[in-house]
Amino acid sequence: MKPLFVAAILCFSVSSVALELEMPEIGGNIMIDYLSISQDSSYNQSGVFVTASNRFRVRKATLEISGAAGELIEYEASFGIASCLGSGMTMALMEAGIRVSPLEDERIVLGLGMFHVRRGFELGEDCGQTLTAEKPMFRKAVSPACHPLGALLETDISLGTIGGLEAQIVYANGNNGTINEEHDANFALFYRLPVKGLTIGGFYNDLAMETNPESEGYEDASRYGIGLDYEADGIAVRTEMIQIKGILPGMRPSGCSDTGENVENMCLLAEAGYSFNTGSEAVPSITPYLNYQSWDRWSNADSGDYEFSWITGGVKTCIGSPDSYLTLDYRIPSATPDGLNEDASVLTARLGLTY
């Protein structure tokens, strides 16, 4: 099945060489943050307690190019810097891909490249597009690689009066960048109900990665999740549950005696926001929001408490146009396991521009 899938994509790609490329569309975004942190250490995106301090940072600055080659081929690429990449101010290729639509109505799309994998609702969105300033604290445990390189199949089918279905299948390189004994395979399915703005869905992620350096080869790991998303008439509500089996060695919580392949996590997220249209040209809309997240970092432990949780509140204000905004976001720890370090509270002030 996999060789046929890849061969089909290559055949369509080769046939497009003689097609005239259209002028590409150019866009991108810039996000500049000021972070105020309540103590000198906090948990990073891998769940490690590290030194932290107040600072300004470039959260993300990208240049995005997209276009078409004839009627069947589309291409996209994104370059830039982002704090979540851990590469400082180094320019990096974030996404790049070629998509082929063998059917005129684009119900089926095939692709090769670095794509954003849809591991649920929250983690399936681009950075800066979520309701809160940052994705959940458990994001790296769920998704060791946000944009793995591989093959993609997407479909979007209308079911008429009973809604519609969206699906994405990705088979990609593993965490170390190959498919030699490792891989990252994800299947996501979403059902748009016949209710305006309401979608339910989930994903299953099968991985082979090194979770135990003391054993030879790679170990099996998996993630699955289900959730609900509603966005209509200014209201945004989202809730998700994600189960993790197998984590990278560096993500084990303090005191965990299991090796990475035996550790399970349970993750929960619930959030809501409401967008007010002000009627003002200077400030077109204001969106206050509230978010709760829970991360049980060793949910299959026989005894002991390893559940962290946080509450985040904030407001996103459009300034001048819907493409420019100011976000004030405040996250506080609401529960910390006994004997483990309490996370810092973090205030994020973000000025953003999408172009």
Side-chain angles (χ1 to χ4, degrees), residues 67-117:
E71 297 181 356
L72 299 180
I73 310 296
E74 294 182 351
Y75 61 90
E76 59 184 314
S78 175
F79 311 84
I81 59 177
S83 61
C84 60
L85 296 178
S87 56
M89 299 297 288
T90 303
M91 183 73 69
L93 176 64
M94 297 181 177
E95 295 187 50
I98 298 174
R99 298 172 186 259
V100 182
S101 303
L103 303 179
E104 292 184 0
D105 56 9
E106 298 187 353
R107 286 179 298 167
I108 296 178
V109 176
L110 307 175
L112 282 176
M114 296 171 60
F115 299 107
H116 204 97
V117 180

Side-chain angles (χ1 to χ4, degrees), residues 2 20 26 49 51 107 117 126 132 148 150 173 185 187 198 209 234 238 243 302 305-306 309 313 321 339 344 352 354:
K2 287 184 292 186
E20 183 178 352
I26 298 177
F49 201 63
T51 301
R107 286 179 298 167
V117 180
D126 287 328
T132 55
N173 291 339
F187 173 71
L198 181 58
M209 61 184 186
R238 175 175 292 171
Q243 175 72 37
D302 292 334
D305 174 20
Y306 289 87
S309 64
S321 75
T354 301

Side-chain angles (χ1 to χ4, degrees), residues 211-257:
T211 57
N212 183 5
E214 297 179 359
S215 66
E216 184 177 351
Y218 298 95
E219 291 75 44
D220 292 332
S222 64
R223 288 97 173 88
Y224 68 85
I226 56 173
L228 174 150
D229 185 79
Y230 176 81
E231 187 170 357
D233 301 321
I235 301 172
V237 176
R238 175 175 292 171
T239 181
E240 291 192 84
M241 181 280 291
I242 297 174
Q243 175 72 37
I244 298 172
K245 186 177 189 299
I247 58 173
L248 295 174
M251 292 185 178
R252 290 188 304 164
S254 176
C256 177
S257 58

Side-chain angles (χ1 to χ4, degrees), residues 95 114-126 135 143 145-149 151-152 154 168-172 184-188 203-205:
E95 295 187 50
M114 296 171 60
F115 299 107
H116 204 97
V117 180
R118 300 184 68 179
R119 294 179 173 93
F121 291 104
E122 192 81 358
L123 299 181
E125 293 189 333
D126 287 328
K135 292 184 180 181
S143 179
C146 293
H147 308 92
L149 178 61
L152 169 144
E154 290 182 327
Q168 183 195 65
I169 301 174
V170 174
Y171 187 83
D184 185 345
N186 193 80
F187 173 71
F203 73 97
Y204 178 77
N205 188 201

Side-chain angles (χ1 to χ4, degrees), residues 174-175 178 181-185 206-210 218-221:
N175 195 50
T178 73
E181 298 183 7
E182 59 173 350
H183 63 264
D184 185 345
D206 178 75
L207 300 129
M209 61 184 186
E210 187 172 295
Y218 298 95
E219 291 75 44
D220 292 332

Side-chain angles (χ1 to χ4, degrees), residues 23-91:
M23 288 296 294
E25 295 183 0
I26 298 177
N29 55 69
I30 301 172
M31 299 186 296
I32 310 294
D33 289 350
Y34 171 70
L35 301 179
S36 178
I37 303 173
S38 66
Q39 57 193 47
D40 58 8
S41 298
S42 66
Y43 288 97
N44 66 10
Q45 58 186 346
S46 296
V48 180
F49 201 63
V50 297
T51 301
S53 58
N54 299 343
R55 63 190 182 276
F56 292 96
R57 71 175 180 183
V58 178
R59 175 61 181 86
K60 187 178 182 183
T62 64
L63 174 66
E64 299 170 0
I65 301 172
S66 62
E71 297 181 356
L72 299 180
I73 310 296
E74 294 182 351
Y75 61 90
E76 59 184 314
S78 175
F79 311 84
I81 59 177
S83 61
C84 60
L85 296 178
S87 56
M89 299 297 288
T90 303
M91 183 73 69

